[in-house]
Amino acid sequence: MGQGSGKPKAWGGRFREATDAAVERFSASVHFDRALARYDVRGSIAHARMLGRSGIVSAEDAEALVDGLRRVAREIESGEFPFDAAAEDIHMNVEARLHELAGPVAGRLHTGRSRNDQVATDLALFLRDAGRAIRRGLAELRGVLLGRAEEHLDTILPGYTHLQRAQPLRLAHHWHAYVEMLGRDAGRFADAGARLARSPLGAGALAGSTLPLDRDDTARALGFDEPARNSLDAVASRDGALEFLAAAAIAMVHLSRLAEELVLWSSSEFGFVELADAYSTGSSLMPQKKNPDVPELVRGKSGRVVGSLVTLLTVMKGLPLAYNRDLQEDKEPLFDAFATLRDCLQVLCGSLATLQVDSDRMREAASDPMLLATDLAEALVREGVPFREAHEAVGRVVAHCLEKDLDLGRLSREDLQAFHVAFPAGAGELVDLEGSLEARSLPGGTARATVAAALARAGQELEEEMARIEAEEGRAAETDR
Ligand code: ARG
């Protein structure tokens, strides 16, 4: 047992004893929810203005509150705001500081409001900005990947299944796969953002207020479409944060796979790429080492973001309506996932932009004629042979080559016809590396023009996304004023 700070608490009157020091430490959140400071002040300014406009407080008092809150905002911006753990959370910190700066009028700010609707509002405002920032980061990475893909339209490498060489690909095609994944990730963040359109502010602790609050006014002022339609839902729900975390976890899994390929490809065994010095580290013991720490950390940090999603899902599960203090546990995983994903996007952008590609080495790995075995089977199909039969025949050709150490690509028509009479020509005429790529001109395929068109389309979509992000940033800056 220890003495608390003895500071007056917002819940004042009912309490005779100060909070125990351990409880004060245990329940304080300002060391992390300070990340919400600017949103908290923004919400408070909208609330104070509305209190004045609705005649709940006098026009002069409203003005004094707004002036004081603006001073608080400036202190937050400049880093001078005296965050105080004894004042528990960001909401009480802002209000306490307002008391110091504006005097007793500060006592009118919390009229018709609870920290429950306040924190839900702060969080929605944070999520809107964070989602947009992540979309920008995703767009930047897509831009880098597209640029590198365009550069490597004619770089050929083996595609893998089960990490066994499977069929040849263009490096452009390979990286475009990630552009598509990251595009869907951006879509998930945008969808989640669109569901943050209803303002919790005015929902009170759980049941609204007897005062004539103008919820439409604060909703509009904060850039929401309308007030939340149910006061309990408004304060008890965190699915906006869950959606953000789910989208972040999926995006991190995508980044982790891309990172894993950078790790593999930069090994001596593959030797496909080399990370720039600025994006690798050395070993403190082995002077020859150049380690892919950046992609390894991205791969590792994906576990952390997935963990954050699981943390919040587990916090929420089984909570009765409406607010419960458990909900304070929403913030650390959310902030951590946001910062982690943002940073991973940034370092991957740099890693990929500066990555050296060894096109010769990739092509050499793709030049194993075994990679064209499927094409050989399809040559038989074109002669009217059922695919299963063609597959079986080419399988025997492959076994024969492996056994006798022969090059599949050099087998003559006669050699091939020993396995199936329908082979119309020698392997050299039937299949070759470029031809194999070019023959796959179906949508989504590997032909040069097909891949180039897919890249162009992705570039177009990326431009549209950038324009949307910029328009939304403009609107956000507008409501921020
Ligand atoms: N710090 C709290 C949180 O993050 C704010 C809401 C507190 N509400 C309450 N009734 N104790 O959830």
Side-chain angles (χ1 to χ4, degrees), residues 181-477:
M181 291 178 232
L182 300 179
R184 291 195 297 276
D185 289 332
R188 272 181 276 275
F189 282 101
D191 289 350
R195 269 184 292 280
L196 294 167
R198 293 179 192 159
S199 171
L201 198 57
L206 75 164
S209 174
T210 61
L211 299 167
L213 308 175
D214 185 347
R215 295 196 61 200
D216 287 297
D217 177 87
T218 48
R220 248 178 317 188
L222 294 170
F224 293 103
D225 293 346
E226 55 181 324
R229 294 174 188 178
N230 181 293
S231 61
L232 292 176
D233 173 43
V235 294
S237 298
R238 292 292 182 273
D239 50 290
L242 285 173
E243 279 196 277
F244 182 96
L245 286 169
I250 295 171
M252 280 301 299
V253 167
H254 291 156
L255 298 189
S256 179
R257 298 181 76 174
L258 176 58
E260 163 64 3
E261 289 183 344
L262 293 179
V263 173
L264 274 178
W265 289 5
S266 62
S267 69
S268 311
E269 282 69 14
F270 273 82
F272 285 1
V273 297
E274 188 178 336
L275 289 156
D277 286 357
Y279 287 90
S280 352
T281 48
S283 158
S284 57
L285 193 145
M286 299 164 283
Q288 86 283 10
K289 293 286 298 281
K290 182 169 178 183
N291 294 330
D293 291 38
V294 169
E296 285 174 310
L297 279 168
V298 169
R299 194 176 59 187
K301 283 172 193 289
S302 64
R304 206 167 139 151
V305 175
V306 171
S308 291
L309 169 61
V310 174
T311 297
L312 187 55
L313 283 169
T314 314
V315 166
M316 298 305 298
K317 182 196 164 298
L319 281 190
L321 299 187
Y323 180 84
N324 302 270
R325 190 62 179 272
D326 316 44
L327 291 177
Q328 182 168 293
E329 294 294 316
D330 60 355
K331 288 169 207 62
E332 285 164 293
L334 183 60
F335 297 159
D336 187 73
F338 167 59
T340 303
L341 175 53
R342 184 197 53 201
D343 294 352
C344 288
L345 288 168
Q346 191 194 346
V347 292
L348 275 182
C349 270
S351 305
L352 283 159
T354 55
L355 189 73
Q356 255 191 53
V357 174
D358 189 336
S359 313
D360 294 337
R361 177 92 185 193
M362 284 187 177
R363 196 186 175 93
E364 200 185 297
S367 297
D368 179 353
M370 291 297 192
L371 271 64
L372 306 178
T374 312
D375 297 46
L376 209 52
E378 285 177 359
L380 280 181
V381 168
R382 270 190 290 276
E383 300 302 310
V385 179
F387 178 73
R388 281 292 165 221
E389 188 180 321
H391 184 282
E392 157 74 24
V394 175
R396 281 186 283 110
V397 174
V398 167
H400 171 74
C401 289
L402 290 174
E403 195 185 319
K404 302 269 186 288
D405 200 19
L406 298 172
D407 180 344
L408 176 86
R410 287 173 192 277
L411 297 187
S412 68
R413 184 178 182 196
E414 290 67 43
D415 295 334
L416 287 176
Q417 282 187 334
F419 297 89
H420 201 294
V421 288
F423 276 110
E429 287 152 80
L430 290 177
V431 292
D432 74 286
L433 185 56
E434 310 280 341
S436 170
L437 289 164
E438 283 312 282
R440 292 176 162 76
S441 57
L442 299 176
T446 59
R448 194 176 195 283
T450 308
V451 175
L455 295 183
R457 186 156 188 190
Q460 179 68 37
E461 281 171 6
L462 184 55
E463 259 176 52
E464 287 161 11
E465 164 76 344
M466 274 309 225
R468 277 194 300 271
I469 294 172
E470 260 147 41
E472 286 171 37
E473 279 171 351
R475 278 199 295 280

Side-chain angles (χ1 to χ4, degrees), residues 11 27 29 32-33 36 88-91 114-116 119 238 323-331:
W11 51 88
S27 56
S29 58
F32 56 81
D33 65 16
L36 297 174
E88 194 179 303
D89 61 19
I90 184 58
H91 323 295
S114 154
R115 283 184 295 157
N116 299 351
V119 72
R238 292 292 182 273
Y323 180 84
N324 302 270
R325 190 62 179 272
D326 316 44
L327 291 177
Q328 182 168 293
E329 294 294 316
D330 60 355
K331 288 169 207 62

Side-chain angles (χ1 to χ4, degrees), residues 38-96:
R38 45 192 295 256
Y39 304 107
D40 199 69
V41 175
R42 202 197 295 173
S44 289
I45 289 178
H47 185 68
R49 284 200 178 121
M50 179 277 290
L51 290 177
R53 276 197 272 252
S54 325
I56 299 169
V57 306
S58 71
E60 305 83 77
D61 282 353
E63 205 173 307
L65 289 172
V66 171
D67 282 350
L69 285 163
R70 290 215 150 135
R71 288 172 66 189
V72 173
R74 278 195 295 276
E75 289 189 345
I76 290 165
E77 294 283 298
S78 66
E80 283 157 41
F81 186 90
F83 290 101
D84 177 8
E88 194 179 303
D89 61 19
I90 184 58
H91 323 295
M92 313 258 280
N93 264 262
V94 168
E95 200 180 325

